[in-house]
Amino acid sequence: MMGLSSYLLLCGVVVVVLAREDHQKPRPWAGKTKSGALTGENKNFWLQKGEDELQEALNLEPNTNIAKNIILFIGDGMSLATVTAARVYKGQLAGNSEGSSAQLSWEKLPHVGLSKTYDVDYMVPDSAATAFAMFSGVKTTGYTMGYDNTIDYLKPGSAVNATP
């Protein structure tokens, strides 16, 4: 069995080998001059950007009124990876070659939340079950809606004992 010091030494050797010049990832922009937008994105730029966004969030006046309406924008199938791809694509369409610094319209809203949805028996849920969970606050069995998780898929008789 390999000891911790041997393991760390092996990891160090692997890092050194992978860092050699002939193991670098190809970069299509290698040797090209950075665009004007990228040259200013140094440490000070990012620290200031973080400070500005934090200050903007802290300066938001909380709305303590009773809500008249609530609007849910439900992006069915929009994982974080899909949203990132959309952001990059939007940035690239605007002429920024790397694109990831673009901002999507809902990312500018003052209050945004994420909801982790899945069925009680499936990690990749269907839309009916997740819509029911968002509407009722109760997760259900995959491919069903209107009942809690005691309903059985394709067993109508189980509705007798399930909680609607």
Side-chain angles (χ1 to χ4, degrees), residues 3-10:
L4 179 61
S5 58
S6 299
Y7 176 75
L8 292 174
L9 178 63
L10 177 63

Side-chain angles (χ1 to χ4, degrees), residues 76-156:
D76 193 19
M78 292 182 64
S79 65
L80 292 176
T82 304
V83 171
T84 300
R87 185 182 308 113
V88 169
Y89 183 64
K90 178 183 179 185
Q92 290 173 340
L93 287 178
N96 185 346
S97 61
E98 58 88 28
S100 63
S101 58
Q103 197 173 26
L104 300 170
S105 58
W106 65 84
E107 293 175 314
K108 298 174 190 172
L109 296 173
H111 304 286
V112 176
L114 296 174
S115 174
K116 180 173 60 174
T117 56
Y118 51 89
D119 303 333
V120 293
D121 56 349
Y122 290 103
M123 287 183 73
V124 180
D126 68 291
S127 298
T130 56
F132 177 70
M134 286 185 273
F135 173 73
S136 68
V138 177
K139 291 190 183 292
T140 188
T141 305
Y143 303 101
T144 63
M145 64 185 300
Y147 294 94
D148 65 6
N149 68 327
T150 56
I151 191 85
D152 292 323
Y153 177 59
L154 292 178
K155 294 184 181 172

Side-chain angles (χ1 to χ4, degrees), residues 36-49:
L38 291 179
T39 55
E41 292 186 11
N42 57 19
K43 174 185 173 185
N44 292 334
F45 170 84
W46 290 109
L47 290 175
Q48 187 60 51
K49 185 170 177 63

Side-chain angles (χ1 to χ4, degrees), residues 47-58:
L47 290 175
Q48 187 60 51
K49 185 170 177 63
E51 285 290 329
D52 292 346
E53 289 182 11
L54 176 62
Q55 198 58 49
E56 184 179 339
L58 291 173

